[in-house]
Amino acid sequence: MSIPSKEPYDPLSAQQQANPADFRDHIGTADKKGYRQWIYAKKVDGKWFRWRTWMSWVLLAIMFVGPFVRINGNPLLMINIVERKFSILGQIFWPQDTFIFAVAMLVFFVGIMIFTTAFGRLWCGWTCPQTVMMEMVFRKIEYWIDGDAHEQRALAAAPWSPHKIWKRVSKYGVFFVLSFIVGNTLFSYIVGSDKLFQIITDDPRNHVTGLTFMILFTLLFFAIFARFREQACTFICPYGRFQSALLDENTMVVAYDYKRGEGRAPLKRGQAPEQRKAGGKGDCVNCHQCVAVCPTGIDIRNGVQMECVNCTACIDACDNVMDKVGQPRGLIRYASLNGIEKGESLKFTARMKLYSVILTALITLFLVLVFTRSDVETALLRAPGSLFQKAGEGRISNIYTLRVVNKTGHDIAVELRLLNSEGTVKVLGAGEFIVPKENSAQTSVLIELEEEDLDGASTHLEIGVYSHGKLLETVKTAFVGPRK
């Protein structure tokens, strides 16, 4: 049993006990009292930044063109949760394909696990849509309007003036327009580009729900890129949280070579590298350029941290400084802990082998499910409450309810045939039974068998679902007859 403290409650007691000089006691974007410290990331230039720029152009092109690409008339990618309709590489998937979708999700997550185990958070820094849009689009616009980090700080500290108001209105105006474009592009991945154009061009009163989501998506992305920024990675995204369970000493990450860099000290004018080493100093000149360019505000020299998205900005900044002081590049580089401590290269560890086996099995299962997937999903059930009927001439009939889901992008004419017994199958209704594309249809079916062919009170039947003579699917049901 705990004894109540007589000390008055102090909400800042935890902060007062923390050591603000220790990076483990706080996050880089919060001050001693827990208030947010705005990150003014300095412009960076270098080999890795240029590669990321080229990569971002490719990814942005795919992202904005994707909704308009059609394969066999279907979207390249569409995740219509509302109508429970999914299109992946032109293949339409329905709620009946939940198992395939579940396997695809497992492939995705296991793939991320393997990739993270080997290469850390390379996904976050190079291909995550949030990082690409923030660092390669919105951040560059901010530099263009507000200037580099020191100019942004000066503008933020300056009193309100026509110049500052103009800057703020210009920046957030452009941010809002871009957020509208980004929000609607991602919205089209949910409802499809045709539906999006219909919402935009049709009478707004007919699309109140769609327009509401368009506005919400715009506001969401405006809030992310104008306000939340790195907090979307450190507080909202779960990926950074579980990476600590995936990384080990062989994982390739953006790492500081502490053996080479410690102890840190500014470089004295005219000091030769030999003199510096003789004085017990490392290659790190403590210029803090790696911290100044970091979009999440961390010091990579403290080691791998949850906030690090592996964007490589610190590598470029450090390489530029090393060039200036005449030291070899790579003080901060892609490396594993064993690579820095023991000089080892990337290893294919036992854990990675296990993950690879699991991933291969899942991919194989996924491909088998996709390529053996039927164009239709058929359910044939005896009509509720119905019994067998004597149709005369020694024939017995049962009536069933037939429901067919058409997963394709074209109408399908369906007919049924008995596969394991002699008899007749009649699809009731006028004319052919046509199942519309990407839809379902229901009707009644009458099956008649000779009484002498029955096994007893219940006879097992296998029925083929055909379209233009091609067998699409086989369904099983029970035929009820008199006891023998």
Side-chain angles (χ1 to χ4, degrees):
M1 179 177 176
S2 62
I3 301 174
S5 173
K6 295 181 180 179
E7 296 294 330
Y9 173 70
D10 182 356
L12 299 179
S13 59
Q15 289 90 333
Q16 290 168 353
Q17 293 170 6
N19 178 12
D22 190 340
F23 75 96
R24 298 178 185 84
D25 282 358
H26 67 94
I27 59 175
T29 55
D31 62 14
K32 182 180 178 182
K33 294 184 177 180
Y35 294 119
R36 182 182 183 185
Q37 296 187 118
W38 192 262
I39 300 295
Y40 298 98
K42 187 180 176 182
K43 277 184 184 177
V44 65
D45 188 25
K47 175 182 69 176
W48 295 99
F49 180 76
R50 289 192 288 276
W51 287 357
R52 284 179 63 212
T53 300
W54 283 108
M55 172 71 85
S56 70
W57 287 120
V58 173
L59 295 175
L60 289 171
I62 293 173
M63 172 183 159
F64 286 109
V65 174
F68 307 100
V69 176
R70 293 285 189 276
I71 300 177
N72 298 326
N74 298 317
L76 175 69
L77 175 65
M78 185 179 71
I79 305 174
N80 192 336
I81 300 173
V82 178
E83 297 180 1
R84 296 180 295 173
K85 177 183 175 183
F86 308 94
S87 176
I88 302 173
L89 298 176
Q91 291 286 324
I92 297 293
F93 295 89
W94 296 91
Q96 291 78 7
D97 299 311
T98 303
F99 187 67
I100 297 178
F101 196 72
V103 173
M105 294 303 295
L106 284 173
V107 170
F108 175 74
F109 285 115
V110 174
I112 286 182
M113 289 172 64
I114 293 177
F115 193 81
T116 305
T117 302
F119 303 107
R121 292 179 70 178
L122 205 60
W123 157 267
C124 295
W126 288 69
T127 56
C128 172
Q130 198 277 339
T131 306
V132 170
M133 292 299 303
M134 183 67 239
E135 301 304 323
M136 294 297 162
V137 180
F138 286 85
R139 185 86 70 187
K140 290 182 177 179
I141 292 172
E142 191 169 63
Y143 288 141
W144 175 56
I145 296 176
D146 288 350
D148 207 344
H150 66 284
E151 297 170 283
Q152 293 177 26
R153 284 195 192 89
L155 183 66
W160 285 102
S161 64
H163 175 71
K164 182 172 180 177
I165 293 173
W166 167 247
K167 289 271 190 183
R168 287 289 183 262
V169 171
S170 302
K171 184 174 78 171
Y172 291 124
V174 174
F175 276 19
F176 189 84
V177 172
L178 275 177
S179 299
F180 179 80
I181 296 172
V182 173
N184 282 276
T185 300
L186 296 184
F187 187 50
S188 66
Y189 278 105
I190 297 176
V191 299
S193 57
D194 294 339
K195 182 69 174 179
L196 180 65
F197 280 126
Q198 187 182 8
I199 294 173
I200 294 173
T201 56
D202 202 0
D203 187 338
R205 292 172 295 183
N206 298 330
H207 304 282
V208 175
T209 303
L211 290 169
T212 302
F213 275 99
M214 287 173 65
I215 295 171
L216 290 176
F217 271 53
T218 301
L219 295 176
L220 172 66
F221 286 106
F222 178 76
I224 288 175
F225 297 121
R227 187 63 189 172
F228 292 143
R229 299 189 164 203
E230 77 284 349
Q231 293 188 336
C233 301
T234 54
F235 297 140
I236 299 175
C237 179
Y239 182 50
R241 301 282 176 179
F242 68 74
Q243 68 158 333
S244 57
L246 301 173
L247 305 186
D248 60 20
E249 62 275 9
N250 292 303
T251 302
M252 196 75 75
V253 294
V254 173
Y256 166 66
D257 189 343
Y258 67 93
K259 294 178 70 176
R260 177 186 153 192
E262 300 300 300
R264 309 170 198 170
L267 182 66
K268 295 180 180 178
R269 186 179 295 276
Q271 187 181 32
E274 295 75 14
Q275 292 176 314
R276 186 175 172 84
K277 287 184 179 178
K281 307 299 182 186
D283 286 352
C284 178
V285 296
N286 213 17
C287 63
H288 287 89
Q289 290 303 297
C290 55
V291 181
V293 298
C294 181
T296 60
I298 65 168
D299 188 342
I300 193 64
R301 296 173 297 177
N302 292 325
V304 177
Q305 294 155 72
M306 183 197 70
E307 296 93 334
C308 180
V309 295
N310 282 210
C311 70
T312 67
C314 54
I315 297 180
D316 282 327
C318 186
D319 282 348
N320 292 337
V321 172
M322 291 295 104
D323 290 344
K324 292 176 182 175
V325 301
Q327 294 287 1
R329 291 184 168 197
L331 181 59
I332 300 174
R333 62 180 185 273
Y334 272 120
S336 65
L337 178 61
N338 280 340
I340 290 177
E341 286 188 344
K342 306 174 184 176
E344 295 179 353
S345 56
L346 180 64
K347 282 185 175 179
F348 195 55
T349 62
R351 183 164 63 154
M352 292 166 62
K353 292 176 183 175
L354 175 62
Y355 289 166
S356 299
V357 170
I358 296 173
L359 180 63
T360 303
L362 287 172
I363 291 175
T364 304
L365 175 62
F366 174 75
L367 293 176
V368 169
L369 291 173
V370 169
F371 286 108
T372 59
R373 172 176 172 263
S374 172
D375 288 341
V376 296
E377 184 85 18
T378 306
L380 183 66
L381 303 173
R382 292 186 60 251
S386 66
L387 300 174
F388 66 86
Q389 300 289 327
K390 292 191 175 181
E393 300 178 354
R395 297 175 68 82
I396 303 295
S397 66
N398 279 192
I399 190 164
Y400 296 82
T401 299
L402 172 69
R403 186 174 186 272
V404 181
V405 177
N406 182 356
K407 303 176 183 177
T408 70
H410 55 272
D411 297 346
I412 292 181
V414 169
E415 60 175 319
L416 304 181
R417 299 177 189 174
L418 285 170
L419 298 179
N420 66 335
S421 179
E422 296 293 332
T424 59
V425 181
K426 296 179 182 176
V427 178
L428 305 182
E432 271 188 316
F433 179 52
I434 306 293
V435 185
K437 65 178 182 179
E438 301 175 5
N439 211 324
S440 62
Q442 183 172 310
T443 188
S444 297
V445 172
L446 185 70
I447 299 179
E448 290 184 355
L449 300 179
E450 296 291 341
E451 186 172 353
E452 61 187 21
D453 293 335
L454 301 183
D455 297 333
S458 179
T459 302
H460 170 76
L461 289 183
E462 291 185 4
I463 299 172
V465 181
Y466 287 82
S467 179
H468 302 294
K470 178 184 177 184
L471 179 64
L472 302 179
E473 189 181 21
T474 301
V475 293
K476 298 177 181 178
T477 189
F479 188 91
V480 178
R483 295 179 183 275
K484 289 187 175 179

